Amino acid sequence: MLESSKESLKLEAMKRVVGLIAKGKNASELFPAVVKNVANKNLELKKLVYVYLVRYAEEQQDLALLSISTFQRALKDPNQLIRASALRVLSSIRVPIIVPIMMLAIKEAASDLSPYVRKTAAHAIQKLYSLDADQKDHLIEVIEKLLKDKSTLVAGSVVMAFEEVCPDRIDLIHRNYRKLCNLLMDVEEWGQVVIISMLTRYARTQFISPWKEDGVFENSEKAFYESDEEKRKSAEETKPYAMDPDHRLLLRSTKPLLQSRNTAVVMSVAQLYWHLAPKHEVNIITKSLVRLLRSHREVQYIVLQNIATMSIQRKGMFEPFMKSFYVRSTDATHIKTLKLEILTNLANEANISTVLREFQTYVKSQDKAFAAATIQAIGRCATNISEITDTCLNGLVLLLSNRDETVVAESVVVIRKLLQTQPSEHSDIIKHMAKLFDNITVPMARASILWLIGEYCEHVPKIAPDVLRKMAKTFHNEEDIVKLQTVSLAAKLYLTNSKQTKLLTQYILNLGKYDQNYDIRDRTRFIRQLIVPSERGGALSKYARRILLAPKPAPVLQSAFKDRDRFQLGTLSHTLNSKATGYLELSDWPPMAPDQSVRNVEVAEAMKEWSPAVGKAKSSKSDDKFYSDSGEEEDEQAADSGSDEEGGSEGSTRTPVCKLVSVCDRVCVCVCQQLSSPVFVPVHTYELLHRMTGKGLAAQYHFSRQPCIYDDRMISVQLTFSNNGDHTLENIHISEKTSAGQNIHCFSPIECLEPEKSVTVSMGVDFNDSTQAASFQLCTKAEGFNVSIQPAVGELLLPVTMSEQDFSKEQGKLQGMNESSATIAMTPESITSQPLHRKVVNMANVGVVPSGQNNVHRFAAKLVSSGALVLVCVVQKDSGAQLTVNTEKTIIGSMLLRELQTVLSQGS
Amino acid sequence: MIHSLFLINNAGDIFLEKHWKSVISRSVCDYFFEAQEKAMEPDNVPPVIRTPHHYLINIYRDKIFFVSVIQTEVPPLFVIEFLHRVAEMFQDYFGDCSEVAIKDNVVIVYELLEEMLDNGFPLATESNILKELIKPPTILRSMVNSITGSSNVGETLPTGQLSTVPWRRAGVKYTNNEAYFDVVEEIDAILDKSGTTVFAEIQGVIDACVKLSGMPDLTLSFMNPRLLDDVSFHPCVRFKRWESERVLSFIPPDGNFRLMSYHVNAQNLVAIPVYVRQNISFFESGSSGRLDITLGPKQTMGKTVECVVVTVHMPKVVLNANLTATQGNYTYDPVTKILVWDIGKLNQQKLPNLKGSLSLQSGAPKPEENPSLNIDLKIQQLAISGLKVNRLDMYGEKYKPFKGVKYVTKAGNHGHFVVTNWKLHNILASPFYV
């Protein structure tokens, strides 16, 4: 049929062949017939042939080569889908001879116009690498190129390729770090997972630990984790740690993904927070993780495992959600066991009664394996929380009369472990267990009882020999483990009470001597030499008592998840508790922060790109202003390092350009990709503290018009301190926040400021959308000064980009009360739109809405704290203009209107 | 990433295999069968199994095991989530995800799997994109295809792949433009013997069926968004708008999709719509027991409670049940020991009652624990949390769509696994009580 000239017949035949492949049957003898059809026009037939080729090409390499030319032709096809699928198949054919062809195809596809083809190229990189690892260097070049790609489609795939081919080449990430963080929200879900896990590793090598302040406590006492309260307090006491803004950026850009519908994404964000966030911020992942527990069974399993690991270290995180971990009768066994594990981890003095009551119902479960696990859990609670040890013991003793054998046996084992911690008080329990001994058949339980009696034979002097007598009778029927314990019991009794038991012991030792198991024979021989005094072995037997009856340390009952945290959460290795192939270790925090400026490089480059077109406002981003604390110096540094990184020929020419840009962007930074970038940052600074009042210390503040990194509701303010005095100022910090209702995020204290030097820091203030001044006390080591920051109304805004359509729509919603307008007379110079724009954006932090009409200018922004929209519209007329401000917050609206009015009516 | 996929039915036959990298012998599944045997029940099979050279990650869904073979480190949830997506895609394409359906459409399944993964990494998982690449089978289309010889495979790259809204296909056209939203809520509660709530929470989802032409931009707002405690969204929902204004703003995918799922704060008192009086006792002698269950409506807010089913997992010693029901029928399966009482609609005037005797295995000791009751029910036109959709606005298109919102409250299966929805705990005097 495949040879037929009719297409429908061919298709039918091919469908059957694929059916054979799907069932796993061998269809390789059809290869020659199938391969002929590879150039067929019918797309479906073609696809099926591809499926066939990929499956069998490895087995029939020579014949497969026949098809290559077809793919090479298809790689040039104008249809991007065909280009991509040709590349996919070409790279999936695992024939080593075509490696050079593949390499060439990948290189070409990596610069294809279609992001879809570039994505396929990223996938092909991994395939080629697994086929021929020698190509690594060339592939890394391609990866480097694709990493720079701005398409969200490509990002996930190329990071995947990066992880597979060269996960250690962290240096390739630096320049793309900020871009990846910003793109993350828009990348497809699967890519998000890969990128997040890569960034987790990256961050661990590049930022210093946000847990520094806890570090000391962490080592000295484990109990430190017990309560969150305590921790928070200690964090406040130690000096605030300043987080790298890039570190913060990562945390901030991943947070919304906790709301993803994809469980893998949620989990990966959770692990990112767990491994990277300051301890007090980790709590936000709890709710999302608990939500995942309502998903499929398999998802629950993985999530519960991760929660189990977390709950050991941080009980507080999951305690409020304890009820979510209650076991349901329909849960699968492995889920039940995990929930039990978590409940045990969460148990503390306060909630133990509820936990135990819950356990009580589990013990009665029909699922006996689970009931046994519950008893183990009770044992662990009992050792962890000393107050309830007795209660638990009594409860367990009651369980000894249970009808079910496994329950009884498990109880015995757990009681043995518990008794070891405090044997003297519980001789009655030992007696009770000795009584039960006849009815218990589970070997482990019998062995445990024997061991107990032997160990504490002095507490039960009468019963012990009797038990030994019984054991002598049944010795040959017992399991090995019981026999071993019998021998031990005999030996111990011989030492303490040789009068009664000498003969019995010898009898048992004789039985053991001829046992089938060599372990038992061995043990018997050893014991005999040890305890029975003979001519030769006398030296040791002196110490027999000390050897056998030495006080033994109580066993520690601890969680199986205790050491799982050595693996990165959410990984396969963590699930299996052993290293999986290809697992990449999460490194420890570096002791010193590596150079931050490596990530700035890209910014300098971006600036260069658009510097000729200043004012056009169409560059991907420029976060530089946002991050730099000290304005221009930093810029220069960034530019310098940029040229260093680029090296050689270009470097020297670029530096001046960058400098130019960094100076001129003070005047006009025109970047607006998202909400976050201001249209314009004015240079105007305000005085905070005059040098006369400040006794040498002068302070000025400046609104940087960037979204605040500490909190979305805050406005970032840059403070510049300069020392005009003649002696060094030490420990400059903010001490008292006097104003009410305003949240202030302080800068980290400045240790010292030399004379004639100045330093710039940034802080965040939540003005609550009012122009009330935020006042606080600025302190040096010696003195304090009361100062206040007065925000202009225009600084309370963040620019918003929207289309003209959206603007009118939103404006329509904010009519009536929410609208305020005025007419202004304008000087003729300001008729052209450019100066008018400048004036408005200079005065207020608003975004420009592209307008179709020449005489209408629209600006949009939102209030930082409440997020309410503020819309400004200026309609120019012959001699004046109509100014309209629409916003929900009418007070802000009227204030803004007034200020705009004054600004616009002034001549330029 | 994902190396190979095997589909295995309950009987242990591998009926489909697909490899994305080099071929792995199906003998690798022997490790899976070993684990399956050990686990006894399909639900108990561990999702992650280690073999000497590979790792097997599996899910069990609709009586089929999806077993994927992994060779290197990968987040297990990544694979699990993907396998569930595959199952959902089959459901979407063939109506149900059964062995028969997959075998009948093996070529389409193969084409789908080929598109969904490239080299083991997910390529396209959005149903809208896949449907453009590979048309779902319909009787009409298969007839047309056999006559004209046209194919099921799309010839151009779906526009969604490249756009910023990958979930929506371009050029959608309907004569009737409609958008329906189903607010489905589930109560998950554990009550103790006296009827006091031990634990109760409400989870809800909003499933949408949107058939609108063009590129509509929808905004859905609630009367009381504060109720929602924890939410997760379809990627189409603009998270920023939700954060700032508590409205759902989105460009919807075409067809059926789950818009959001939410959780209602458990601190809000959950209204339990029915009450139960139950008395199950086993006699010390005579190997028999008594059972008496009565149900009645409680806080139903004027709506009728429907589809009420009571399920009791009896202890092993119960041989048979001889009962009379005043309403509905009951069945007792002596093998699985499950008593099912299907009541139907709950009648306000005459409360349904199930009463009678249980016969026990003679000589066996009486069960220690009284069985718990699971109750399933359904209330139409009511979201028990009180959540209400305020309005739906559409921007970007000119026509007037037909809009509808439906509310349903359930205490039933949620997702694809059974959860004990109402477990009547019998808390006895506990020696552990401190």
Side-chain angles (χ1 to χ4, degrees), chain A residues 526-541:
Chain A
F526 158 70
I527 295 282
R528 185 189 291 276
Q529 290 300 320
L530 193 63
I531 57 170
V532 183
S534 65
E535 304 86 53
R536 285 172 295 132
L540 258 181
S541 58

Side-chain angles (χ1 to χ4, degrees), chain A residues 125-375:
Chain A
I125 292 172
Q126 303 162 52
K127 298 183 208 165
L128 182 55
Y129 181 66
S130 66
L131 189 64
D132 182 6
D134 293 342
Q135 302 289 324
K136 188 171 174 178
D137 293 339
H138 296 287
L139 290 174
I140 291 178
E141 275 171 35
V142 184
I143 291 176
E144 195 175 353
K145 181 171 178 192
L146 284 174
L147 273 174
K148 288 188 192 134
D149 203 307
K150 292 200 174 66
S151 161
T152 51
L153 204 58
V154 185
S157 303
V158 70
V159 170
M160 188 64 225
F162 170 83
E163 290 279 81
E164 203 128 302
V165 179
C166 52
D168 46 341
R169 289 288 303 276
I170 285 279
D171 55 306
L172 296 180
I173 302 299
H174 290 323
R175 296 150 168 247
N176 300 298
Y177 174 82
R178 288 174 192 162
K179 183 193 76 190
L180 284 174
C181 286
N182 287 328
L183 283 185
L184 200 55
M185 263 308 265
D186 300 321
V187 175
E188 33 89 39
E189 323 165 86
W190 312 106
Q192 285 171 347
V193 178
V194 178
I195 296 177
I196 291 173
S197 84
M198 187 275 290
L199 288 178
T200 311
R201 268 191 321 114
Y202 177 83
R204 275 296 267 265
T205 59
Q206 296 301 316
F207 304 127
I208 51 167
S209 167
W211 314 329
K212 268 264 154 72
E213 62 263 37
D214 321 338
V216 192
F217 297 84
E218 206 168 51
N219 298 335
S220 57
E221 61 183 74
K222 207 80 189 146
F224 165 64
Y225 283 117
E226 295 284 322
S227 83
D228 274 20
E229 299 279 302
E230 203 177 316
K231 192 192 73 228
R232 234 173 265 136
K233 226 187 286 163
S234 73
E236 271 167 27
E237 277 163 18
T238 48
K239 66 169 187 178
Y241 137 91
M243 186 187 266
D244 188 316
D246 284 337
H247 191 169
R248 172 57 64 203
L249 172 73
L250 177 61
L251 292 178
R252 210 182 37 199
S253 54
T254 48
K255 191 180 162 196
L257 293 177
L258 280 174
Q259 250 65 47
S260 171
R261 67 164 170 176
N262 188 322
T263 55
V265 175
V266 177
M267 188 65 230
S268 62
V269 177
Q271 66 86 18
L272 181 128
Y273 263 80
W274 177 258
H275 290 294
L276 297 180
K279 298 275 185 204
H280 58 276
E281 283 175 42
V282 178
N283 287 344
I284 63 162
I285 64 173
T286 315
K287 223 185 229 176
S288 305
L289 285 179
V290 172
R291 181 182 70 230
L292 296 190
L293 295 183
R294 298 192 282 271
S295 187
H296 301 284
R297 178 181 65 89
E298 297 85 6
V299 175
Q300 287 184 47
Y301 173 71
I302 306 289
V303 174
L304 284 171
Q305 274 193 325
N306 286 297
I307 292 181
T309 307
M310 294 187 198
S311 61
I312 291 178
Q313 285 196 18
R314 313 266 320 262
K315 285 180 192 220
M317 251 174 95
F318 292 98
E319 220 192 292
F321 295 91
M322 209 164 76
K323 281 185 174 171
S324 306
F325 302 111
Y326 281 4
V327 173
R328 280 124 203 272
S329 54
T330 45
D331 284 340
T333 311
H334 50 256
I335 297 206
K336 286 184 189 164
T337 341
L338 280 170
K339 285 189 171 172
L340 200 62
E341 173 74 38
I342 294 169
L343 283 177
T344 317
N345 290 341
L346 293 181
N348 59 22
E349 283 86 353
N351 59 25
I352 186 68
S353 65
T354 354
V355 172
L356 279 184
R357 197 143 35 123
E358 192 63 20
F359 281 176
Q360 163 79 5
T361 44
Y362 300 165
V363 171
K364 291 195 208 130
S365 158
Q366 312 240 352
D367 183 346
K368 288 307 160 196
F370 173 57
T374 310
I375 294 169

Side-chain angles (χ1 to χ4, degrees), chain A residues 15 18-19 21-24 42-44 47-48 51 55 58 79-81 88 94 114-116 119-120 123 126-127 153 156-157 160 164 185 188-191 193-194 256 259-264 267 287-288 291 294-303 323 327-330 332-334 353 356-358 360-361 364 366 378 388 391-392 395-396 398-399 402-403 570-573 575-576 578-583 675 809 813, chain B residues 1 15-17 19-23 26 42-48 50 55 57-61 70-78 80-82 84-85 88 106-107 110-111 114-115 117-119 121-123 125-126 133 149 151-157 161-162 188 198-199 201 203 229-235 239-240 263 315-316 365-366 368-369 395 414 416-420 423 425-428 430-434:
Chain A
K15 281 186 177 168
V18 169
I21 297 175
K23 288 202 193 87
N42 185 324
L43 210 68
E44 185 165 23
K47 273 208 168 154
L48 297 179
V51 168
R55 172 71 178 74
E58 208 170 5
N79 185 338
Q80 48 183 342
L81 184 63
R88 268 177 72 184
R94 283 165 296 274
S114 155
Y116 184 68
K119 185 187 178 75
T120 321
H123 288 181
Q126 303 162 52
K127 298 183 208 165
L153 204 58
S157 303
M160 188 64 225
E164 203 128 302
M185 263 308 265
E188 33 89 39
E189 323 165 86
W190 312 106
V193 178
V194 178
Q259 250 65 47
S260 171
R261 67 164 170 176
N262 188 322
T263 55
M267 188 65 230
K287 223 185 229 176
S288 305
R291 181 182 70 230
R294 298 192 282 271
S295 187
H296 301 284
R297 178 181 65 89
E298 297 85 6
V299 175
Q300 287 184 47
Y301 173 71
I302 306 289
V303 174
K323 281 185 174 171
V327 173
R328 280 124 203 272
S329 54
T330 45
T333 311
H334 50 256
S353 65
L356 279 184
R357 197 143 35 123
E358 192 63 20
Q360 163 79 5
T361 44
K364 291 195 208 130
Q366 312 240 352
I378 294 174
I388 56 145
T391 336
C392 284
L396 287 169
L398 276 184
L399 282 179
N402 196 295
R403 273 197 315 272
T571 59
L572 185 62
S573 308
T575 304
L576 296 167
S578 74
K579 217 167 166 175
T581 333
Y583 172 74
L675 228 172
K809 201 163 61 200
K813 288 185 197 165
Chain B
M1 291 251 147
F15 64 92
L16 189 111
E17 64 177 69
H19 307 275
W20 283 275
K21 298 183 184 180
S22 51
V23 178
R26 55 166 64 188
D43 271 342
N44 285 347
V45 179
V48 183
R50 176 165 34 180
Y55 308 97
I57 298 186
N58 68 81
I59 65 163
Y60 179 67
R61 218 173 138 162
I70 309 294
Q71 256 181 335
T72 52
E73 170 67 52
V74 58
L77 271 184
F78 186 97
I80 290 171
E81 176 81 24
F82 177 78
H84 278 294
R85 290 284 173 86
E88 273 153 29
V106 77
V107 174
Y110 235 69
E111 286 170 343
E114 186 72 34
E115 283 305 328
L117 281 182
D118 180 13
N119 195 35
F121 189 79
L123 191 63
T125 48
E126 283 298 336
L133 281 171
S151 75
N152 270 339
V153 177
E155 302 216 349
T156 49
L157 184 74
Q161 262 299 13
L162 297 176
D188 197 356
V198 176
F199 171 69
E201 60 178 7
Q203 280 131 39
D229 181 34
D230 182 41
V231 285
S232 74
F233 300 118
H234 189 275
F239 189 71
K240 284 220 168 92
H263 176 244
K316 284 205 182 77
K366 85 173 188 130
E368 313 156 26
E369 189 193 5
Y395 306 101
H414 99 233
H416 292 267
F417 56 93
V418 184
V419 175
T420 322
K423 187 159 80 177
H425 261 233
N426 307 309
I427 297 176
L428 305 173
S430 151
F432 294 121
Y433 196 80
V434 271

Side-chain angles (χ1 to χ4, degrees), chain A residues 618-639:
Chain A
K618 205 68 200 170
S619 164
S620 69
K621 66 191 195 57
S622 160
D623 304 64
D624 182 58
K625 280 268 86 64
F626 177 14
Y627 296 113
S628 60
D629 285 341
S630 51
E632 280 161 45
E633 299 148 27
E634 184 88 2
D635 286 344
E636 278 176 32
Q637 189 192 336

